[in-house]
């Protein structure tokens, strides 16, 4: 695994995980349809449901941002740049499953991306440079530097794929990517 990519399984307690899963199953958390085109790609199949919880560039702060506090604490989040819930629909076997490589926040330096999977399925995330595929596993956090080009891989075995996408600045004494340790974050 590249030194600028970390996978932390069971990052949250079962209680926190179940609470988040319950909350996101409620109608009040309904996301909106959103096209997810990646650099020049346009397809009717490249769409997903998204609920933006925070965007520093557009002054968006969702009233439910705080429900993710247990994850922020475990990651040592100092400041959030963008937080959103992505919900993708499954593909049929044989259909293209990769949405397109991208960087979440072009031009942003010194921030990290965390993809937190709320459910297990055969979808996941693939990284362009290494070709590494990380499968969506319930309660798994995939943390990497913002500049790594990656793509969603749609699932074929679940009705939905739930991914919390967080772009953040870590506190100086917490997770260090490219270093020799993941400081205060350990799997439960």
């Amino acid at each position: 695994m590249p030194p600028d990519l970390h996978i932390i399984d069971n990052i949250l307690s079962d209680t926190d995980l179940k609470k988040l899963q319950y909350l996101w199953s409620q109608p009040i958390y309904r996301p909106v349809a959103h096209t997810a085109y990646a650099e020049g790609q346009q397809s009717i199949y490249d769409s997903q449901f998204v609920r933006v919880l925070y965007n520093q560039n557009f002054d968006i702060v969702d009233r439910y941002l705080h429900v993710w506090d247990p994850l922020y604490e475990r990651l040592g989040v100092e400041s959030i740049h963008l937080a959103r819930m992505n919900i993708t629909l499954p593909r049929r076997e044989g259909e293209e499953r990769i949405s397109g490589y991208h960087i979440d926040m072009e031009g942003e330096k010194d921030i990290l991306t965390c993809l937190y999977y709320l459910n297990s399925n055969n979808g996941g995330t693939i990284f362009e440079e290494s070709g590494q595929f990380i499968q969506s596993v319930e309660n798994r956090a995939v943390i990497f530097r913002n500049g790594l080009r990656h793509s969603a891989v749609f699932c074929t075995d679940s009705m939905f794929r739930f991914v919390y996408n967080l772009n953040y600045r870590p506190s100086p004494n917490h997770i260090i990517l490219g270093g020799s340790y993941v400081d205060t974050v350990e799997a439960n």
Side-chain angles (χ1 to χ4, degrees):
M1 180 176 345
D4 49 3
L5 175 67
H6 287 285
I7 300 169
I8 305 170
D9 286 327
N10 302 311
I11 190 168
L12 297 180
S13 70
D14 286 342
T15 301
D16 288 335
L17 170 65
K18 297 301 178 205
K19 179 181 174 186
L20 289 169
Q21 288 173 328
Y22 173 77
L23 289 172
W24 283 100
S25 69
Q26 301 305 303
I28 196 166
Y29 290 98
R30 286 196 179 124
V32 297
H34 171 73
T35 55
Y37 301 137
E39 296 181 23
Q41 293 181 331
Q42 284 195 343
S43 167
I44 62 170
Y45 302 109
D46 285 332
S47 58
Q48 60 188 347
F49 293 96
V50 175
R51 180 165 180 142
V52 175
L53 296 167
Y54 184 86
N55 187 325
Q56 72 173 8
N57 295 327
F58 296 102
D59 208 21
I60 296 171
V61 181
D62 190 285
R63 64 183 172 156
Y64 296 106
L65 182 65
H66 65 74
V67 302
W68 292 96
D69 284 350
L71 183 63
Y72 306 151
E73 289 172 24
R74 295 285 289 151
L75 294 172
V77 172
E78 182 175 272
S79 62
I80 297 172
H81 292 250
L82 178 64
R84 63 182 177 232
M85 187 70 190
N86 298 328
I87 303 170
T88 58
L89 302 173
R91 297 289 195 260
R92 287 183 281 176
E93 286 293 337
E95 287 184 331
E96 178 62 46
R97 293 181 57 204
I98 297 176
S99 67
Y101 292 100
H102 64 279
I103 295 171
D104 288 356
M105 299 191 74
E106 291 284 348
E108 290 286 341
K109 300 207 183 289
D110 301 322
I111 66 170
L112 301 177
T113 297
C114 173
L115 302 176
Y116 176 74
Y117 305 124
L118 264 149
N119 66 326
S120 293
N121 55 69
N122 67 358
T125 304
I126 190 167
F127 292 87
E128 184 175 48
E129 187 174 318
S130 67
Q132 184 173 8
F133 170 76
I134 310 295
Q135 187 165 347
S136 292
V137 174
E138 178 182 274
N139 206 11
R140 171 177 281 174
V142 179
I143 304 156
F144 53 95
R145 293 199 185 285
N146 180 55
L148 282 181
R149 290 174 52 83
H150 60 285
S151 175
V153 178
F154 296 98
C155 67
T156 61
D157 65 343
S158 180
M159 187 176 291
F160 299 104
R161 179 175 168 265
F162 292 91
V163 180
Y164 185 63
N165 185 314
L166 176 66
N167 300 102
Y168 69 101
R169 183 174 315 284
S171 63
N173 63 347
H174 213 69
I175 295 177
I176 297 180
L177 294 177
S180 59
Y181 65 93
V182 177
D183 188 2
T184 57
V185 177
E186 297 172 4
N188 288 343

